């Protein structure tokens, strides 16, 4: 039996308890066995993974080091991996094999990690349930009739289901935090610009941010240390030095100030997650944290503003998929117009088309001021709300989602219901702040997540709070009974 956290696997590899080839072989077998249950992967790279694992074992034998040497993990299928198919869960890119590597993939490779495959996701990262994939819905390992959350649902299901100890995700409006919450794992959306976006297929460029997903905050600290840092080739990547995130873990919580937004807590909007969230507040209080009432007055405008800005950016980003340069091309086009129209009609799924339509409308000459400009103004107000709050507190606490995972099919008929799932995650995204989701309880047998948000580049504060919380609770140690581990 192999351990399932990054830290314990790296220790096991270092001590020689098992080799990278052994654990990689086992995880590939589990991933294959559970593909019909969870549908967590789009592509498994058995050959590439085993070769990389053997190489890591060889490197270890010859005394070489690497932060993640021999660690098996998976990438969300929007990180371009050179020579390995990258689909973004779209028919448009069904057979796209990138000629270059994303910076994130390159950094994992340089650290010696072994990518076993590419995880399923909502098409072009658009969704909150992982039901929008061209390769079929992902299922939640806690109960396969329920969604795993989206859009990094394949990554979350693969970790929760014991198929990999860690996976990458991307978060535009909640896509790391919400699936982490629904699947009972930990996930971090870093500050916008902390992790390079080069080679990460774009959805909404002013919001997209890659980050790690794993069982524990301790693991997130190790992984973020590998992913973060300036990339000269991404002009939006930050110059800010990367601190030692693992060193932050041991700092005590005593005396830290945590804000509770009254627009959530006093307005009775904590909803079904209330008992879990209250218990988490009590745990943090017992560790010496002080809770402070704060106000984020424009938070209710976040979902409408986000669902104008994100589609607007997506409509321009996705204009590159025209059937000419790369991606799906329709058969026998009559003329150029027909080539564009049919290639896009065939290549994109329903939700992606809905976003392109909404975004194009919001950016059109007659409506730009009414929708796009207004949404940008709201975004500024939300940013200012957070800036005000962080004058008084170190972190802000809230639920990740209004409830636990919902049933597959439950919200697909009503996009607005689906968008409202993002009510606690999108304000943070609009402001570009770092935010952590950690398991904090169970509701009807399904995990509930706690969200902690800090000021720009204060990922260390989140690591500290999250790790200290995990030292005193055991929600992060709970595993679904249907998981891929051999019992
Ligand atoms: N659910 C949100 C959306 O569909 C967020 C997705 C994401 O973060 N990629 O836009």
């Amino acid at each position: 039996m192999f351990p399932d956290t990054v830290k314990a696997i790296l220790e096991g590899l270092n001590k020689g308890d098992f080799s990278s080839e052994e654990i990689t072989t086992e995880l590939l077998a589990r991933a294959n066995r559970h593909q019909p249950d969870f549908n967590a992967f789009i592509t498994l790279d058995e050959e590439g993974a085993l070769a990389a694992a053997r190489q890591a074992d060889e490197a270890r034998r010859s005394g070489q080091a690497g932060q993640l040497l021999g660690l098996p993990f998976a990438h969300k299928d929007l990180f371009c991996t050179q020579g390995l198919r990258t689909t973004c869960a779209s028919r448009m890119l069904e057979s796209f094999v990138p000629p270059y590597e994303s910076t994130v993939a390159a950094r994992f490779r340089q650290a010696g990690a072994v990518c076993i495959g590419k995880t399923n996701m909502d098409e072009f990262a658009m969704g909150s349930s992982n039901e929008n994939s061209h390769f079929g819905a992902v299922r939640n390992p806690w109960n396969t009739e329920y969604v795993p959350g989206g859009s990094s649902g394949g990554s979350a299901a693969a970790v929760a289901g014991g198929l990999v100890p860690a996976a990458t995700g991307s978060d535009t409006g909640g896509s790391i935090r919400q699936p982490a919450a629904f699947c009972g794992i930990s996930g971090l959306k870093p500050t916008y610009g902390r992790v390079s976006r080069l080679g990460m297929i774009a959805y909404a460029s002013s919001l997209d941010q890659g980050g790690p997903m794993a069982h524990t905050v301790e693991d997130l600290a190790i992984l973020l240390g590998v992913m973060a840092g300036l990339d000269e080739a991404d002009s939006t990547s930050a110059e800010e030095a990367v601190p030692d995130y693992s060193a932050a873990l041991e700092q005590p919580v005593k005396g830290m100030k945590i804000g509770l937004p009254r627009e959530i807590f006093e307005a009775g909007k904590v909803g079904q997650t209330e008992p879990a969230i209250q218990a988490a507040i009590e745990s943090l209080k017992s560790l010496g944290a002080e809770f402070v009432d704060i106000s984020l007055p424009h938070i209710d405008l976040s979902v409408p503003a986000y669902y104008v800005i994100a589609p607007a950016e997506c409509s321009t980003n996705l204009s590159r998929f025209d059937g000419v340069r790369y991606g799906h091309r329709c058969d026998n086009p009559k003329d150029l117009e027909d080539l564009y129209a049919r290639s896009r009609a065939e290549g994109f799924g329903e939700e992606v088309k809905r976003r392109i339509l909404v975004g194009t409308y919001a950016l059109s000459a007659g409506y730009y001021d009414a929708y796009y400009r207004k949404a940008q103004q709201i975004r500024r107000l939300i940013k200012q709300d957070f800036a005000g709050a962080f004058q008084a507190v170190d972190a802000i606490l809230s639920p990740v989602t209004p409830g636990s995972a919902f049933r597959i099919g439950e919200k697909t008929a009503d996009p607005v219901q689906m968008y409202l799932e993002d009510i606690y995650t999108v304000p943070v995204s609009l402001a570009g702040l770092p935010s952590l989701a950690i398991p904090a309880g169970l509701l009807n047998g399904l995990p509930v997540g706690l969200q902690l948000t800090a000021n720009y580049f204060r990922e260390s504060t989140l690591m500290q709070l999250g790790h200290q919380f995990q030292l005193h609770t055991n929600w992060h140690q709970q595993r679904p009974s249907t998981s891929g581990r051999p019992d």
Side-chain angles (χ1 to χ4, degrees):
M1 182 100 172
F2 298 99
D4 68 359
T5 64
V6 171
K7 187 166 182 235
I9 291 173
L10 290 173
E11 276 168 11
L13 289 167
N14 279 335
K15 281 196 288 180
D17 293 347
F18 48 83
S19 67
S20 176
E21 184 175 357
E22 283 167 341
I23 186 167
T24 302
T25 304
E26 163 66 15
L27 296 189
L28 283 166
R30 278 188 213 169
N32 273 313
R33 192 161 71 241
H34 287 281
Q35 188 57 16
D37 305 324
F38 311 145
N39 197 22
F41 282 91
I42 291 176
T43 306
L44 274 173
D45 182 19
E46 308 203 26
E47 230 175 272
L50 288 172
R54 285 186 203 112
Q55 212 184 332
D57 288 334
E58 191 50 52
R60 183 168 262 108
R61 272 194 293 275
S62 65
Q64 289 172 44
Q67 281 160 287
L68 304 177
L69 191 60
L71 179 86
F73 79 106
H75 275 305
K76 182 176 183 176
D77 205 19
L78 50 48
F79 288 99
C80 283
T81 41
Q82 188 173 13
L84 180 63
R85 183 169 78 131
T86 302
T87 69
C88 233
S90 182
R91 185 176 178 209
M92 186 58 92
L93 292 174
E94 191 164 9
S95 53
F96 175 61
V97 178
Y100 75 109
E101 190 99 313
S102 56
T103 299
V104 164
R107 290 194 175 178
F108 271 91
R109 198 187 287 277
Q110 279 151 15
V114 174
C115 174
I116 74 160
K118 309 294 293 287
T119 58
N120 204 345
M121 53 182 282
D122 281 304
E123 185 179 4
F124 285 103
M126 296 171 199
S128 309
S129 66
N130 224 129
E131 292 166 290
N132 300 335
S133 168
H134 172 60
F135 300 89
V138 178
R139 295 168 178 276
N140 191 321
W142 288 79
N143 182 333
T144 52
E145 283 170 25
Y146 285 74
V147 304
S151 66
S152 312
S155 290
V159 173
L163 313 183
V164 278
T168 53
S170 72
D171 192 310
T172 302
S175 280
I176 288 176
R177 292 163 284 160
Q178 191 245 19
F182 278 9
C183 291
I185 65 165
S186 303
L188 179 86
K189 172 219 170 301
T191 307
Y192 179 77
R194 180 72 297 186
V195 169
S196 168
R197 292 185 298 112
L198 184 87
M200 186 175 97
I201 297 172
Y203 159 15
S205 307
S206 76
L207 295 154
D208 296 344
Q209 186 59 201
M213 304 172 82
H215 286 293
T216 66
V217 172
E218 219 169 20
D219 286 357
L220 298 181
I222 299 172
L223 298 164
L224 185 64
V226 170
M227 297 172 81
L230 176 68
D231 177 1
E232 301 279 351
D234 170 3
S235 61
T236 61
S237 101
E239 282 184 29
E240 191 91 9
V242 179
D244 179 350
Y245 295 116
S246 296
L249 299 171
E250 305 306 330
Q251 302 294 319
V253 165
K254 197 167 165 47
M256 290 186 81
K257 287 203 173 66
I258 304 179
L260 298 177
R262 72 177 74 121
E263 289 75 12
I264 299 174
F265 285 89
E266 279 178 23
K269 289 205 182 131
V270 187
Q272 297 172 302
T273 61
E274 174 105 42
I277 299 301
Q278 284 306 339
I281 293 174
E282 291 310 316
S283 301
L284 288 164
K285 268 190 194 158
S286 72
L287 296 176
E290 201 183 306
F291 281 86
V292 182
D293 168 55
I294 57 157
S295 177
L296 300 171
H298 300 94
I299 197 172
D300 282 347
L301 299 175
S302 311
V303 170
Y306 173 87
Y307 278 97
V308 169
I309 293 169
E313 294 186 20
C314 116
S315 72
T316 61
N317 270 327
L318 270 56
S319 65
R320 73 190 66 173
F321 300 105
D322 56 6
V324 177
R325 285 170 281 201
Y326 46 75
H328 175 76
R329 177 180 297 174
C330 67
D331 287 334
N332 308 316
K334 279 201 311 284
D335 50 29
L336 189 61
E337 190 70 22
D338 187 44
L339 168 75
Y340 290 154
R342 270 201 297 128
S343 298
R344 287 169 66 80
E346 292 168 4
F348 292 137
E350 288 309 301
E351 184 61 26
V352 172
K353 286 180 194 160
R354 180 181 292 123
R355 307 267 178 125
I356 293 173
L357 287 174
V358 169
T360 307
Y361 182 82
L363 290 176
S364 61
Y367 295 99
Y368 185 94
D369 287 331
Y371 294 108
Y372 185 70
R373 189 184 303 279
K374 189 114 237 131
Q376 291 291 16
Q377 286 164 342
I378 293 170
R379 182 176 192 176
R380 168 56 63 95
L381 292 174
I382 290 166
K383 236 178 130 166
Q384 285 168 355
D385 287 355
F386 279 106
F390 281 121
Q391 305 223 314
V393 297
D394 300 296
I396 296 172
L397 183 149
S398 75
V400 180
T401 50
S404 50
F406 43 91
R407 278 181 185 277
I408 291 177
E410 193 179 317
K411 297 192 190 222
T412 37
D414 185 349
V416 174
Q417 262 324 98
M418 190 71 93
Y419 299 165
L420 285 170
E421 271 302 302
D422 304 338
I423 183 134
Y424 303 125
T425 50
V426 294
V428 175
S429 301
L430 288 168
L433 294 161
S435 189
L436 174 72
I438 45 176
L442 290 173
L443 177 66
N444 308 322
L446 293 167
V448 171
L450 176 73
Q451 178 172 259
L452 291 163
T453 302
N455 214 342
Y456 299 104
F457 300 104
R458 297 284 164 80
E459 282 82 1
S460 295
T461 303
L462 300 177
M463 302 288 183
Q464 174 187 356
L465 278 168
H467 178 63
Q468 294 299 318
F469 179 80
Q470 293 188 334
L471 283 179
H472 294 87
T473 54
N474 65 4
W475 299 113
H476 61 291
Q477 288 162 345
Q478 315 264 334
R479 302 288 183 262
S481 56
T482 49
S483 90
R485 295 168 188 80
D487 11 38

